[in-house]
């Protein structure tokens, strides 16, 4: 099974293992910070799925799924498979 390339669709910045996103209180979130690409955009604090992910480099917003650049065209099938492979990191 191939892995997707994950990078910003605007500037091609690649998230690091140390990168953190905020479940913003201003957006109705819980204030948790975490690496959103470890959970597929789901906040581990409140379970909210963020459809939009901000780039930490260029500060622009993009659909979370648009960050995943699959080498094959059948992205939907691969997406579903990936969801069953999430490591237990909670
Ligand atoms: Zn949250
Ligand atoms: Zn960017």
């Amino acid at each position: 099974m191939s892995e997707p390339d994950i990078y910003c669709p605007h500037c091609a910045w690649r998230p690091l293992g140390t990168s953190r996103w905020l479940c913003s209180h201003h957006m109705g979130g819980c204030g948790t910070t975490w690496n959103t690409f470890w959970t597929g955009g789901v906040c581990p604090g409140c379970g909210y799925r963020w459809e939009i992910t901000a780039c930490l480099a260029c500060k622009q917003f993009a659909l979370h799924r648009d960050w995943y650049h699959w080498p094959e065209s059948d992205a939907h099938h691969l997406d579903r498979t990936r969801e069953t492979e999430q490591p237990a990191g909670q």
Side-chain angles (χ1 to χ4, degrees), residues 23 29-32 43 45-48 50:
C23 188
C30 66
T32 294
C43 173
C46 65
Y48 183 78
W50 290 89

Side-chain angles (χ1 to χ4, degrees), residues 1-83:
M1 184 62 68
S2 55
E3 287 290 309
D5 260 345
I6 299 177
Y7 56 87
C8 174
H10 297 294
C11 71
W13 173 76
R14 291 170 183 272
L16 308 173
T18 54
S19 299
R20 291 294 180 272
W21 281 259
L22 173 66
C23 188
S24 172
H25 287 297
H26 299 293
M27 305 281 281
C30 66
T32 294
T33 55
W34 84 109
N35 187 319
T36 192
F37 292 100
W38 291 351
T39 61
V42 177
C43 173
C46 65
Y48 183 78
R49 176 180 289 273
W50 290 89
E51 303 281 350
I52 304 290
T53 295
C55 176
L56 301 187
C58 70
K59 312 300 183 187
Q60 295 189 76
F61 295 88
L63 286 173
H64 187 80
R65 63 174 298 109
D66 285 351
W67 285 69
Y68 297 83
H69 303 267
W70 298 92
E72 299 161 50
S73 58
D74 193 4
H76 291 289
H77 166 72
L78 291 169
D79 242 340
R80 191 156 32 245
T81 301
R82 181 179 172 79
E83 285 182 2

